[in-house]
Amino acid sequence: MPRSLSFTVQQFDGALALLTVTGEIDFTTAPELRDRALELSRQGNLHLILDLAPVAFCDSSGLNALIGILRCTQQAGGSLALAAVPDRLTRLLDLTGVSQLLPAHADAAAAMNAHGGAADGAAADPPSGRHLRAVAAPQDGP
């Protein structure tokens, strides 16, 4: 069975987007993750938070995608942070030293708070933030 990823995007005022990633990030799906995140960046969401709670697996291809996303967002004057990183991926980030470059938070709310929350300083609660715009993400390729 082919592996796939699905995405849920929540966009906030102030060029911030929360991308929830569901599935397995591996050699076949890592380009999907990178493309989706960079598409958000090109749309003006310079600051990205990746919620990885629903990620069941991530290999070195996924790690490479995260590093690529980080580099591209920084070059655009933005940032990348992770939320709810699964234990195995946390270990991979630590072993490779990437955890020193890429902030990780316990959950999406903590990542939002660390970023500064909503643009007007309102409490950051991703599912019901008042500056939230839910955007349907394409499930199939481009």
Side-chain angles (χ1 to χ4, degrees), residues 17 77 89 96 126 128:
L89 180 53
T96 58
S128 62

Side-chain angles (χ1 to χ4, degrees), residues 58-69:
C58 182
D59 68 7
S60 61
S61 298
L63 177 65
N64 189 43
L66 294 175
I67 293 168
I69 295 165

Side-chain angles (χ1 to χ4, degrees), residues 2-140:
R3 293 183 178 142
S4 65
L5 289 178
S6 62
F7 306 101
T8 303
V9 178
Q10 298 171 324
Q11 295 175 312
F12 298 82
D13 290 347
L16 173 65
L18 173 65
L19 179 63
T20 301
V21 183
T22 303
E24 296 185 359
I25 308 170
D26 60 17
F27 180 76
T28 59
T29 61
E32 259 183 276
L33 172 60
R34 182 180 162 95
D35 291 348
R36 186 65 179 118
L38 296 182
E39 176 185 332
L40 285 170
S41 184
R42 285 190 299 274
Q43 292 173 351
N45 300 287
L46 298 177
H47 305 286
L48 301 177
I49 297 170
L50 300 183
D51 183 352
L52 303 176
V55 170
F57 174 80
C58 182
D59 68 7
S60 61
S61 298
L63 177 65
N64 189 43
L66 294 175
I67 293 168
I69 295 165
L70 174 63
R71 184 177 50 230
C72 290
T73 56
Q74 287 177 336
Q75 287 174 350
S79 63
L80 174 65
L82 305 178
V85 181
D87 289 341
R88 287 186 175 163
L89 180 53
T90 297
R91 188 166 194 273
L92 183 61
L93 293 170
D94 288 343
L95 287 172
T96 58
V98 175
S99 60
Q100 299 298 312
L101 306 172
L102 192 54
H105 304 277
D107 55 30
M112 293 288 298
N113 287 333
H115 178 71
D120 67 358
D125 183 11
S128 62
R130 62 181 213 203
H131 294 284
L132 177 66
R133 248 183 336 161
V135 179
Q139 296 298 316
D140 297 331

